[in-house]
Amino acid sequence: MRYLKITAAALFLAAACVAVWPGTTPAALAPEREARSAPELAGAGPWFNSAPLTLADLQGKVVLVEFWARECINCIHVLPHTRELHDRYAGDGLVVIGVHTPEYDEERDPAALKAAIAQYKIDWPVVADNDYKLWNAYGNRYWPALYLIDRNGKLVYSHFGEGNYQQIEQRVRTLLGKA
């Protein structure tokens, strides 16, 4: 009986490790789904670094939507990679949009969000999603989460958590016709 308990505990521990290992979330392991229309960006705000944007405004652009929270350490780790993509490909038609969805109540303060945007030197558009309208529209459940939208407004790729930076960049390059 003790052997069975030890074996069950080991299997549980192994499954837990796989579940939290970067790039092994069920969504990351699942085969890609057929592209669907991206959810509209309406219903959240205020916007920082930009007037409110709509998918119609972004038609013909490749869009990287990044869900983040200013106190999320994993989100902060991803920001330099998002900056690299923004700096490298904005001139080629990539638009990065940060969607700040608070994980904690204190993250709802627009002034604190504005200070975080300055602290992290974020110069791409950021929208405050305090009521989780965009979070729910995208069916999101993770911080950070990255979604790529092609030039036709189709949601074509998603990644949750840290890592896969080269794969994300390759997807961006492919969508921009730079592969």
Side-chain angles (χ1 to χ4, degrees):
M1 185 63 138
R2 182 177 172 175
Y3 175 75
L4 287 175
K5 287 180 181 179
I6 291 171
T7 302
L11 287 173
F12 177 78
L13 181 61
C17 288
V18 167
V20 298
W21 197 263
T24 61
T25 61
L29 295 174
E32 290 195 45
R33 297 179 210 113
E34 187 175 319
R36 62 179 171 95
S37 293
E40 189 50 73
L41 298 169
W47 283 77
F48 300 87
N49 300 335
S50 172
L53 295 170
T54 65
L55 290 180
D57 297 329
L58 301 167
Q59 190 69 25
K61 303 282 187 181
V62 173
V63 181
L64 174 65
V65 176
E66 178 179 30
F67 284 87
W68 68 291
R70 66 181 173 82
E71 293 183 13
C72 166
I73 190 66
N74 302 98
C75 300
I76 294 166
H77 289 165
V78 171
L79 283 174
H81 304 283
T82 305
R83 165 152 311 289
E84 283 181 31
L85 290 173
H86 174 264
D87 292 349
R88 192 172 294 152
Y89 300 108
D92 297 319
L94 176 68
V95 176
V96 175
I97 298 175
V99 178
H100 183 271
T101 309
E103 188 172 2
Y104 305 107
D105 284 341
E106 64 268 13
E107 292 179 304
R108 295 177 181 278
D109 178 21
L113 175 55
K114 186 175 183 177
I117 290 168
Q119 175 186 354
Y120 297 119
K121 297 176 176 62
I122 297 171
D123 55 0
W124 53 86
V126 173
V127 60
D129 188 29
N130 286 350
D131 295 327
Y132 285 61
K133 291 192 177 176
L134 298 178
W135 177 278
N136 291 329
Y138 276 78
N140 191 44
R141 298 186 338 218
Y142 308 101
W143 289 278
L146 303 171
Y147 294 88
L148 278 173
I149 302 170
D150 71 10
R151 295 178 188 269
N152 299 313
K154 298 289 186 188
L155 189 58
V156 295
Y157 179 76
S158 59
H159 176 75
F160 310 110
E162 297 182 52
N164 276 5
Y165 303 120
Q166 290 178 328
Q167 181 181 7
I168 294 165
E169 181 173 4
Q170 187 56 47
R171 294 291 180 126
V172 167
R173 290 179 59 78
T174 298
L175 291 170
L176 291 171
K178 301 181 77 58

